Amino acid sequence: MKEVLGKAVRGVRLGWLELYLALVFLARIRAGPEVVAEVLSPSIGRGAARALARVYGQSPPTDHRLPPCEVLAASGVCRCRGSLLAEYRQRVRSYLGLPVVSR
């Protein structure tokens, strides 16, 4: 995920699956529409990023679903194992010095 968001911020054009993954991931971690526009603007342009951010802001985060890790790995977009969000939560907890919860 870090690679996909890094590409967006550096202005590298994202593929459709990468763009979708970035949008859903940002929704699931509850990043605001302003963050979406800021992150995606270098990659897709300011107008398109603002339009996506407006649409994004109108639907609840739970409406957004991440593709299964098998699909992401097969397409070369992600190397997550199991659940991308679970890995994100564990890394954030570890970074904050909180106990890592195993499932």
Side-chain angles (χ1 to χ4, degrees), residues 1 9-10 23 25 27 30 35 37-38 42 44 47-48 61 64 72 75 77-78 84 89 95 100:
M1 196 63 246
V9 171
R10 289 190 314 272
L23 282 169
F25 183 78
R30 302 193 190 294
V35 172
E38 182 179 337
I44 64 173
H64 305 284
L72 298 174
S75 63
V77 171
C78 183
L84 181 62
R89 284 186 199 106
Y95 177 76
V100 176

Side-chain angles (χ1 to χ4, degrees), residues 1-97:
M1 196 63 246
K2 184 169 59 173
E3 290 175 25
V4 172
L5 294 176
K7 284 171 65 175
V9 171
R10 289 190 314 272
V12 177
R13 192 98 172 140
L14 298 179
W16 69 268
L17 185 56
E18 292 173 315
L19 181 58
Y20 177 76
L21 180 61
L23 282 169
V24 173
F25 183 78
L26 291 170
R28 294 303 298 248
I29 65 169
R30 302 193 190 294
E34 62 284 345
V35 172
V36 171
E38 182 179 337
V39 168
L40 297 179
S41 286
S43 178
I44 64 173
R46 181 168 294 183
R50 285 185 179 167
L52 279 175
R54 273 194 303 277
V55 171
Y56 161 94
Q58 294 173 358
S59 60
T62 54
D63 282 356
H64 305 284
R65 300 274 183 246
L66 287 167
C69 285
E70 298 80 30
V71 172
L72 298 174
S75 63
V77 171
C78 183
R79 292 184 303 262
C80 57
R81 297 174 310 276
S83 167
L84 181 62
L85 287 173
E87 282 191 28
Y88 170 77
R89 284 186 199 106
Q90 286 182 353
R91 288 181 188 194
V92 168
R93 291 183 67 80
S94 174
Y95 177 76
L96 295 174

